[in-house]
Amino acid sequence: MKKRLIGGMVATAILIPVAAFAASGVIEMPTRTPMTTEQVQVDEVGKSTLEKLYLAFPETKSFEIIDASNVQGDVSKGENLINVKQTSIVLQEKGGTGKKITLHTNGNTGEIEHVIQENWEPKEKSLITLTDQEIKAKVSDLIDKMYGNVEQYEIAIEQMENPNQKTWMLNYTNEMFDKPVYQVFVQDNTISVTKIVGIPTGPKPSNMKVEGLFSLNGKPDYTADAFLNDEKLFALLKMSPTELKQELAKGKTVVEIAASKNVSKQQVIDVIAETQARGQLQGDGVPISEHSLKQMMKAIEPKLLPVIEHKTETKW
C-alpha cells in the first residue's frame, strides 16, 4: 500500500500535505499556533482561503469556524532545512453534527494544498456505499469546484488493501507531469484531496499572483501556472504577469509572445527549466551542481513544450 502513495503517507493522517515532503526523513515538526475566528478573518492567507471556499461552495458562508491554526518554522529533512508556513481552517455546519470541511493552505504561495470534505453525503447512502463511477463523480465535483477544469485529467481509482476500513485511492494525472496532480482518499463519508503538483518549493514573489493564465471551457486552467508564474520569465519578456495573461487570452502562445519581443523559444525554455530544476533539486535535498542542474533541466524540457506552445481554449 505504501509504495503506491505519494510520499508514503495516507493524506488523511497528516496536517501538512505530503506534497511538502516528497521523501521521508522528517525529523522535527514546528508546533502549531491556534487562531481565533477573528484572527482568521483578518489574516491575509485566512481571508483568501475563505473567499475561495465561499466561491466554490456558497453554502459554507453559514458554517462556523470550529478550529484554526497556523504553523511556521524550519523542518529537518535529512541534512537540509525546509521552511514551512501553513494555515489550517476547519468549518462545520452550525450544530456541530453536519457537513464539515478542512482546508490547509500554503502560507507562502496562498495555494490550498489539502481539502478534507466530511459528511456531505446522507448517512443512509454514504460514500462507501457508492459505485466507483459515483465516487469518481463526487471527487471530481469537489476538485472542479475548488481548483477548476477537472476534465483535463485522467482518473485512476482502486480499492486499497485495507482490512480494517474500506478505502479508495484516486489519482488525477496529466501527461505534463510525472506525478499525479491530485491524490485522493475516500473513507467512510470522507473525501481527502491533496494537491501534489504545482506547489512551489519556495516563497512566491509578490508580483507573481496571477492564476489561471490559460482558460479551458470558460474556466481558469491552473495546470500551467506552476511553470509560467516565473519571475525570470516575466523579466525576459519584459512583461508583468497581468500583461502576459492578457496576451494569452487573445489566443497567442508563449512562444508567439516571446517572438514578438525578439526572444527565442530556447531562451524561454532555458529560463523556465532552470527555475523548475532548482526548485525540484532543492525540494529533494539534492546539492545543486552544474551537472545536476543541467540533467534536471534536460528532463524538464519536454514537459515545457506543451505549455509554451499551447493556446488558451476558452470558448468565447
Side-chain angles (χ1 to χ4, degrees), residues 131-133 135-136 155-159 168-171 186:
T131 65
D132 286 4
Q133 288 302 316
I135 290 174
K136 276 186 184 180
I155 310 170
I157 182 172
E158 62 178 299
Q159 187 172 343
W168 281 262
M169 180 176 71
L170 295 85
N171 284 318
V186 176

Side-chain angles (χ1 to χ4, degrees), residues 101-214:
I101 191 162
T102 301
L103 308 163
H104 300 298
T105 303
N106 187 313
N108 290 318
T109 68
E111 183 172 37
I112 298 175
E113 298 174 324
H114 191 198
V115 181
I116 305 173
Q117 194 182 64
E118 301 175 68
N119 302 324
W120 285 59
E121 299 300 317
K123 290 183 179 179
E124 58 272 15
K125 195 176 182 182
S126 65
L127 288 166
I128 60 170
T129 67
L130 304 180
T131 65
D132 286 4
Q133 288 302 316
E134 288 173 326
I135 290 174
K136 276 186 184 180
K138 297 291 183 182
V139 173
S140 294
D141 181 66
L142 172 58
I143 293 176
D144 192 63
K145 287 180 177 176
M146 291 300 301
Y147 298 101
N149 289 317
V150 73
E151 60 267 23
Q152 65 188 295
Y153 304 108
E154 292 186 7
I155 310 170
I157 182 172
E158 62 178 299
Q159 187 172 343
M160 308 298 291
E161 296 179 4
N162 185 354
N164 299 319
Q165 188 177 40
K166 280 189 176 181
T167 303
W168 281 262
M169 180 176 71
L170 295 85
N171 284 318
Y172 285 69
T173 57
N174 183 288
E175 60 183 6
M176 288 194 298
F177 303 102
D178 294 330
K179 297 177 181 178
V181 178
Y182 304 100
Q183 188 167 77
V184 187
F185 293 92
V186 176
Q187 293 177 332
D188 292 333
N189 216 359
T190 299
I191 299 173
S192 177
V193 178
T194 298
K195 194 170 192 297
I196 304 295
V197 171
I199 301 173
T201 55
K204 185 176 181 179
S206 58
N207 67 332
M208 290 171 59
K209 295 182 178 179
V210 174
E211 297 180 325
L213 290 165
F214 288 119

Side-chain angles (χ1 to χ4, degrees), residues 13 23 27 29 54 74 91 154 162 173 181 215 250 254 259 266 268 301 310 313 316:
I27 297 174
M29 299 292 288
Y54 296 156
D74 292 331
L91 302 96
E154 292 186 7
N162 185 354
T173 57
V181 178
S215 295
K250 296 176 183 178
V254 175
Q266 193 59 50
V268 172
E301 184 170 327
H310 178 69
E313 297 176 25
W316 297 100

